[in-house]
Amino acid sequence: TGMRAQASADARRDASARTTRVQFRGRKRYAPSMFSPVVEVLASVALALPLHEAGHWLAARALGALRIEIERAGWLKASVRATFPDERPGRLALFFAAGPIAGAVAGALAFALGAPWFAGIQLLFALLMLVPVRGSDGARLLSLVVERR
């Protein structure tokens, strides 16, 4: 029975390592995590930039861009440039916000599917892109707001 108790304790510990605490209708429950945290973190880091830029590309297509260029400069730097028939601020704002929105949507879907680490990194990356520092989507959105005044 000693071996059986140890095996049972190991199984409980392994099961708790693969669970995530979630709030559901006012009660806290433990939902199983789909992947190990290491796999989620690696996948999220690898997919953060492509998902972000895919959001810009989809928005450019949906907003009627005349020309779309995808520029890649190394592993961690890429950009989507679009030429629109007119430079309406609303159209540009949607184009600039589409990258962070794509990351937030990917994060929400990942959380719903049981991948909380992936979700957290995607949401964090989306928020960081909205910080108004040089070259970020947040800086471009802020410049649109300042120009309108």
Side-chain angles (χ1 to χ4, degrees), residues 43-59:
S44 184
V45 169
L47 293 175
L49 184 63
L51 285 171
H52 178 89
E53 296 306 329
H56 288 303
W57 183 81
L58 287 170

Side-chain angles (χ1 to χ4, degrees), residues 37-112:
V38 173
V39 171
E40 287 183 42
V41 169
L42 292 175
S44 184
V45 169
L47 293 175
L49 184 63
L51 285 171
H52 178 89
E53 296 306 329
H56 288 303
W57 183 81
L58 287 170
R61 298 272 304 176
L63 295 170
L66 300 174
R67 186 169 161 208
I68 303 171
E69 297 175 17
I70 301 171
E71 186 177 302
R72 184 166 175 236
W75 173 249
L76 294 175
K77 183 153 174 65
S79 64
V80 174
R81 296 176 192 263
T83 306
F84 293 103
D86 57 355
E87 299 289 317
R88 288 187 299 191
R91 178 180 286 175
L92 292 175
L94 283 172
F95 173 71
F96 294 141
I101 289 170
V105 168
L109 285 173
F111 188 77

Side-chain angles (χ1 to χ4, degrees), residues 44 103-104 107 117-131:
S44 184
W117 286 93
F118 186 95
I121 291 171
Q122 290 298 317
L123 292 171
L124 178 65
F125 185 72
L127 288 174
L128 286 175
M129 287 285 95
L130 291 173
V131 174

Side-chain angles (χ1 to χ4, degrees), residues 96 128-142:
F96 294 141
L128 286 175
M129 287 285 95
L130 291 173
V131 174
V133 296
R134 186 175 153 225
S136 73
D137 296 323
R140 292 181 178 115
L141 287 167
L142 184 62

Side-chain angles (χ1 to χ4, degrees), residues 20-32 111-112:
T20 305
R21 201 164 145 167
V22 295
Q23 187 88 16
F24 181 73
R25 294 189 184 172
R27 297 188 315 212
K28 290 181 183 171
R29 294 185 178 181
Y30 288 90
F111 188 77

